[in-house]
Amino acid sequence: MNTHSKLMGGLFILALIPTAIWATQTKGQTTSNSADGGISVISKSVLSQSQPDFSWIYVQQDGEMTIGAGHSDDWEQLERQGNPYHADYLWVKTAGTPYVITDPAIVAQIKTAIMPMQQQGEKMQAIGEQLQQKGDAINSQTQQLLLNVATDNEDPQIQAEIDSLSASMEVLDQQMNELSKVHESLSNTAEKQIVSLAQAAIKAGTAIKTP
């Protein structure tokens, strides 16, 4: 392979990095902190196709973790208000009406339901961090490769390192895809349980309507 082909190969791998990172952030967990001391968002997902009118967000007592599925304005609202209930709770919105469920017995069942999904998400986050690190390394090596080509100073070792990093990224990406499939299945199972628990709480009057 000549220098031009090596360079193009390095640039192609570089172009794939943002896609890999985007996929990691979409499938795995993302973290953000509210500037005014609100809750920290650890994992959020889009509304499911099976329950398009049902949003849910689980918040821990300390306000450090929330997980669920909802519209962006739902997340923003809870991030701003933090945790005024001083207990783990489930926020849900169905048919446009928001509710809060703080009953310890129901919350315990919800926590059990989401735990497998959360644990799977943590595995995906670890893979995502590795992809990010290797992507950064490829970016650095590719920049050096460009500099070497510009100065006619070839260094086969750099291309070898890029090839090795890109190969390991492919392996990690495959692992991420496999984890994502399992996560999707766990998410669907958890959501069905949460919807059932929330609907029962609303019917029983243990879910509190909120503004």
Side-chain angles (χ1 to χ4, degrees), residues 28-32 40-44 64-67 125:
Q29 296 186 336
T30 58
T31 304
S32 65
S40 298
V41 178
I42 300 298
S43 181
K44 62 170 70 176
E64 291 185 355
M65 187 278 284
T66 178
I67 186 169
Q125 183 179 23

Side-chain angles (χ1 to χ4, degrees), residues 31-97:
T31 304
S32 65
N33 295 304
S34 176
D36 56 3
I39 58 179
S40 298
V41 178
I42 300 298
S43 181
K44 62 170 70 176
S45 60
V46 297
L47 296 174
S48 73
Q49 294 182 353
S50 61
Q51 298 289 339
D53 296 325
F54 185 91
S55 304
W56 66 273
I57 301 174
Y58 177 81
V59 184
Q60 286 185 333
Q61 179 177 354
D62 55 17
E64 291 185 355
M65 187 278 284
T66 178
I67 186 169
H71 295 289
S72 60
D73 55 348
D74 298 332
W75 291 95
E76 290 169 3
Q77 176 186 339
L78 292 187
E79 284 184 272
R80 286 193 301 269
Q81 76 179 32
N83 188 338
Y85 304 99
H86 306 293
D88 288 12
Y89 72 91
L90 181 74
W91 177 93
V92 300
K93 183 165 69 175
T94 177
T97 303

Side-chain angles (χ1 to χ4, degrees), residues 23-192:
T24 299
Q25 294 175 340
T26 302
K27 299 174 184 176
Q29 296 186 336
T30 58
T31 304
S32 65
N33 295 304
S34 176
D36 56 3
I39 58 179
S40 298
V41 178
I42 300 298
S43 181
K44 62 170 70 176
S45 60
V46 297
L47 296 174
S48 73
Q49 294 182 353
S50 61
Q51 298 289 339
D53 296 325
F54 185 91
S55 304
W56 66 273
I57 301 174
Y58 177 81
V59 184
Q60 286 185 333
Q61 179 177 354
D62 55 17
E64 291 185 355
M65 187 278 284
T66 178
I67 186 169
H71 295 289
S72 60
D73 55 348
D74 298 332
W75 291 95
E76 290 169 3
Q77 176 186 339
L78 292 187
E79 284 184 272
R80 286 193 301 269
Q81 76 179 32
N83 188 338
Y85 304 99
H86 306 293
D88 288 12
Y89 72 91
L90 181 74
W91 177 93
V92 300
K93 183 165 69 175
T94 177
T97 303
Y99 298 87
V100 167
I101 300 171
T102 58
D103 183 278
I106 300 175
V107 171
Q109 295 180 69
I110 291 167
K111 187 174 183 179
T112 299
I114 67 176
M115 188 172 296
M117 176 178 62
Q118 180 184 345
Q119 292 173 339
Q120 188 73 3
E122 290 171 354
K123 294 178 183 178
M124 294 171 68
Q125 183 179 23
I127 296 293
E129 290 171 354
Q130 294 182 57
L131 281 169
Q132 178 71 62
Q133 292 171 359
K134 291 182 183 297
D136 291 343
I138 289 179
N139 181 59
S140 177
Q141 294 287 9
T142 302
Q143 294 299 321
Q144 184 60 51
L145 186 64
L146 285 167
L147 180 61
N148 289 349
V149 170
T151 59
D152 293 325
N153 181 23
E154 293 190 31
D155 187 348
Q157 183 177 353
I158 292 179
Q159 182 63 47
E161 290 175 0
I162 291 175
D163 292 341
S164 177
L165 286 166
S166 62
S168 61
M169 282 189 73
E170 289 180 4
V171 173
L172 288 171
D173 187 58
Q174 182 177 358
Q175 293 176 7
M176 179 66 80
N177 288 334
E178 293 172 355
L179 288 171
S180 179
K181 292 177 182 178
V182 176
H183 186 270
E184 183 177 0
S185 176
L186 292 172
S187 298
N188 290 337
T189 299
E191 184 176 74
K192 290 177 182 178

